[in-house]
Amino acid sequence: MAGVGTLRPETEDKRSVNDIIKTEDMTPEQLGGEIRLLTRQARQMVLEYGIQIGYRLQLAKDKVGEDFAGWVERETEISKSSAYRFIKLYNEYGAAQGSLLGVENIFPTLGKISVSNALRLLAVPEEEREEFAREVDAEHISARDLEEAIRERDEARKSLETADRELGAAQKALRDAEAELAETKDALEDQRVKREDAEDAAQKMEAMLRETENRPVEVAIDETAVQRAVEEAKAAAAEEKKKAVAELEKRLKAAESAARDAGKSAGAAAEKARAEAEELRKRLAAAQSGANEVILLVKLAQENFNLAVEKLHVMKSTDGETAGKLLAGTRKILETLIGRCG
């Protein structure tokens, strides 16, 4: 980077073409003279002068190193703190490369604002600085008004950031609520499907139950049980026959004995005894022929049938439908038995 300077600090305002040298080639003393000249020329300091002063201060700092603070005190008319502020102006507003005329301002529209306002504008991000300066008219407002404008901008920015965060949080909450609502809808849909399936199953079961109720009762005949009952009835009849025969034989013996005792007394008593004996013989023959067995079985069946019919008639008052179905089954049993007798 290059700039202009003077070889004779004591007459820095009287230059000639032969005196012009590169700023980078100046000695620290020469740089101090340049700074004094620029300072006097810029009593109403604007940014352009501040950039040029800062540029030269940076060059001097690089040359003198650790003695920069003493050099500023000896060679310039500014304080150390002001020197660093000018260097900051150069670093923030100056171009990376200079020319024979010095270093250019990278913010062309900010060339005429005061140094104090330029320093305050450093609080604004570089990419927003020029636009903000135009909006607040940084060239003509006071440093206090500019500070207030920057403070309001920062507060507005913070408020906007807070609003953005709150909006982001609200949007996230909305997305979460929508996701939860979608899950709830899915769960409700699953419950609806399950309820419909359960209702369908219940309707099918109800239909099957109605069909079962309307279907006539089918009384199954257990052939084995019937055969067993017949055998038991036969055994019981045989036992009764045996007892009846024994009793008749006993009475016959008694009658015959009475007849023998009557002996020759043929009279009404003997005749009666013989008649009674004859009757007993007939009954004994009938018992021995098996007629009593049939009569006994039929009587037993009749008694059981009458008992069942009586119970069915009683059931009609409490469960008429079931009683009717059982009566129908009983009729089928009777028809089956009658068919076998035929």
Side-chain angles (χ1 to χ4, degrees), residues 12-261:
E12 39 293 267
D13 53 344
K14 298 179 180 179
R15 299 188 181 191
S16 66
V17 175
N18 295 328
D19 293 334
I20 297 176
I21 62 173
K22 289 183 178 180
T23 306
E24 291 90 336
D25 296 334
M26 289 182 179
T27 65
E29 291 75 13
Q30 291 169 335
L31 289 170
E34 286 277 296
I35 292 168
R36 288 193 299 274
L37 174 62
L38 291 171
T39 301
R40 284 196 297 271
Q41 291 176 344
R43 295 301 180 186
Q44 298 296 322
M45 186 67 69
V46 293
L47 179 59
E48 291 293 347
Y49 286 97
I51 293 173
Q52 302 304 327
I53 293 173
Y55 168 54
R56 287 160 174 78
L57 285 168
Q58 182 67 61
L59 292 175
K61 184 174 180 297
D62 294 339
K63 291 177 182 292
V64 301
E66 295 181 357
D67 190 39
F68 178 67
W71 177 87
V72 169
E73 185 177 353
R74 291 191 308 271
E75 300 294 336
T76 71
E77 298 175 355
I78 59 177
S79 65
K80 179 182 175 181
S81 58
S82 296
Y84 280 106
R85 284 197 293 271
F86 283 124
I87 291 175
K88 188 172 183 64
L89 283 175
Y90 158 66
N91 290 328
E92 293 290 336
Y93 290 95
Q97 294 181 349
S99 65
L100 290 175
L101 300 178
V103 65
E104 294 182 358
N105 183 0
I106 61 175
F107 297 96
T109 61
L110 302 182
K112 295 182 180 180
I113 65 173
S114 66
V115 169
S116 59
N117 281 0
L119 288 170
R120 286 169 173 77
L121 282 174
L122 295 180
V124 180
E126 182 178 341
E127 63 274 9
E128 302 176 15
R129 196 172 298 160
E130 241 179 331
E131 182 178 356
F132 177 76
R134 284 196 303 269
E135 290 177 354
V136 300
D137 193 13
E139 182 179 343
H140 299 99
I141 64 174
S142 66
R144 179 177 297 180
D145 291 341
L146 180 58
E147 284 183 350
E148 180 66 17
I150 292 173
R151 186 186 62 78
E152 291 177 354
R153 171 195 174 279
D154 291 341
E155 290 179 354
R157 180 62 57 88
K158 289 179 181 178
S159 298
L160 179 60
E161 291 174 354
T162 301
D164 287 341
R165 286 195 299 271
E166 293 176 351
L167 177 60
Q171 290 174 341
K172 182 180 182 301
L174 178 60
R175 289 193 298 269
D176 293 343
E178 290 175 346
E180 185 176 355
L181 177 60
E183 292 178 359
T184 303
K185 287 182 177 178
D186 292 340
L188 290 175
E189 180 64 17
D190 291 341
Q191 291 180 1
R192 186 187 64 78
V193 172
K194 290 179 181 179
R195 185 177 66 253
E196 290 180 353
D197 292 342
E199 291 175 353
D200 291 342
Q203 291 176 359
K204 290 179 181 178
M205 292 180 65
E206 186 177 356
M208 292 174 62
L209 181 60
R210 287 197 299 269
E211 182 180 356
T212 302
E213 291 175 349
N214 294 331
R215 186 183 301 163
V217 176
E218 296 179 357
V219 180
I221 299 176
D222 189 342
E223 297 290 343
T224 302
V226 172
Q227 185 65 30
R228 186 167 57 250
V230 171
E231 293 297 335
E232 291 175 355
K234 285 182 178 180
E239 183 66 23
E240 290 293 330
K241 182 181 73 173
K242 183 177 178 181
K243 291 179 179 180
V245 170
E247 179 66 23
L248 289 173
E249 287 177 346
K250 181 179 179 181
R251 292 175 65 182
L252 177 59
K253 288 178 181 179
E256 290 176 345
S257 177
R260 285 193 299 270
D261 290 342

Side-chain angles (χ1 to χ4, degrees), residues 294-342:
V294 175
I295 293 171
L296 181 62
L297 289 173
V298 171
K299 183 178 180 181
L300 180 62
Q302 183 177 5
E303 289 175 354
N304 290 331
F305 179 76
N306 290 337
L307 180 61
V309 171
E310 289 177 2
K311 289 184 176 297
L312 286 173
H313 280 294
V314 173
M315 188 186 293
K316 280 186 176 181
S317 62
T318 58
D319 192 355
E321 183 178 356
T322 302
K325 292 178 180 179
L326 291 174
L327 284 173
T330 303
R331 283 195 295 272
K332 288 187 177 181
I333 292 174
L334 292 175
E335 290 173 358
T336 302
L337 292 176
I338 293 171
R340 287 185 178 181
C341 292

